[in-house]
Amino acid sequence: MSGCGNNDFIVRKAKKEDASKILELIKELAVFEKCPDSVKISAKQLEEDGFGEAPAYGCFVAENLSGNIIGFALYFPRYSTWYGKTLFLEDLYIKADYRKNGIGKQLVKEIAKVAKEKSLRRIDFNVLKWNPAKQFYKKLGAVNASENEDFEIYHFYEDAIKSLVQI
Ligand SMILES: CC(C)(COP(=O)(O)OP(=O)(O)OC[C@H]1O[C@@H](n2cnc3c(N)ncnc32)[C@H](O)[C@@H]1OP(=O)(O)O)[C@@H](O)C(=O)NCCC(=O)NCCS
């Protein structure tokens, strides 16, 4: 147990049975990020992708004393031609009532432990420009690469993928 008083919590690896709760938190994070309609994934897909023979992602959850999941961190392996294998931290979310109790820090620590065990040189993630979480990450030692580099983030969404395969 970590934390103090009513804010005791544990951090553990996510299990298949956690998928629907994780999806709830993914949706809460999407609302927080002002993109409530962007979550296209289902609990079934999360189950299949994260808990099969070759999991596409890893996930840690934080639980309160009552066994309720109050936060999660989801990551997956990535590859950099500069740094080799890296991890991408896709989501980190703590429910509003439980913030500022060290839970986010503990979840990032678990991801860092995974990176260190695999001797990885970098953990990547994106933060929205207006998100105060920037201060949280900086406090933990993260560097805002977009301050020093001119990269912009691009995506090929489904429609673009469909068009691309036809050109
Ligand atoms: C960002 C977030 C994950 C932080 O989790 P948390 O459990 O509240 O953070 P912690 O309590 O572990 O904080 C660790 C340190 O960062 C500081 N910190 C946390 N949030 C902060 C903020 N918004 N601004 C400045 N500092 C902050 C804490 O004060 C603490 O400092 P200390 O170690 O000196 O005491 C949480 O606020 C959250 O879920 N926010 C909404 C979703 C989000 O923005 N996710 C990230 C998407 S990129």
Side-chain angles (χ1 to χ4, degrees):
M1 280 286 165
S2 310
C4 53
N6 290 332
N7 298 313
D8 285 347
F9 64 92
I10 58 156
V11 164
R12 61 165 174 82
K13 269 190 184 169
K15 298 181 285 204
K16 195 174 180 181
E17 304 77 64
D18 300 325
S20 55
K21 189 64 199 180
I22 293 168
L23 180 59
E24 253 180 57
L25 297 187
I26 290 171
K27 288 180 178 169
E28 278 187 35
L29 175 58
V31 170
F32 175 85
E33 293 184 328
K34 303 182 177 125
C35 296
D37 301 324
S38 294
V39 182
K40 309 296 179 201
I41 204 161
S42 65
K44 187 167 179 287
Q45 196 178 341
L46 277 174
E47 274 184 27
E48 287 172 3
D49 293 347
F51 305 94
E53 275 183 20
Y57 67 85
C59 184
F60 290 97
V61 294
E63 259 182 12
N64 67 7
L65 276 181
S66 315
N68 296 318
I69 294 178
I70 51 174
F72 78 110
L74 191 150
Y75 66 96
F76 54 83
R78 205 184 194 195
Y79 198 79
S80 159
T81 52
W82 291 358
Y83 290 90
K85 290 178 186 172
T86 65
L87 291 185
F88 192 84
L89 173 58
E90 172 74 1
D91 280 356
L92 173 67
Y93 182 75
I94 311 300
K95 284 179 90 65
D97 289 349
Y98 295 90
R99 289 178 197 156
K100 298 271 176 88
N101 288 300
I103 306 176
K105 191 175 176 176
Q106 195 62 37
L107 283 166
V108 173
K109 182 180 170 182
E110 290 303 323
I111 309 274
K113 277 159 72 178
V114 173
K116 186 153 185 293
E117 274 158 23
K118 295 176 188 290
S119 301
L120 308 186
R121 294 192 177 95
R122 206 176 66 187
I123 299 171
D124 301 326
F125 52 96
N126 301 328
V127 189
L128 288 163
K129 278 186 180 157
W130 52 261
N131 191 343
K134 289 202 280 194
Q135 299 311 317
F136 161 82
Y137 288 119
K138 281 184 178 171
K139 218 166 196 183
L140 297 182
V143 169
N144 180 355
S146 54
E147 278 172 2
N148 313 316
E149 297 165 12
D150 282 335
F151 287 114
E152 292 181 347
I153 297 169
Y154 283 71
H155 302 297
F156 286 122
Y157 284 112
E158 226 175 331
D159 284 350
I161 294 170
K162 277 184 195 149
S163 308
L164 273 170
V165 297
Q166 282 165 357
I167 59 176

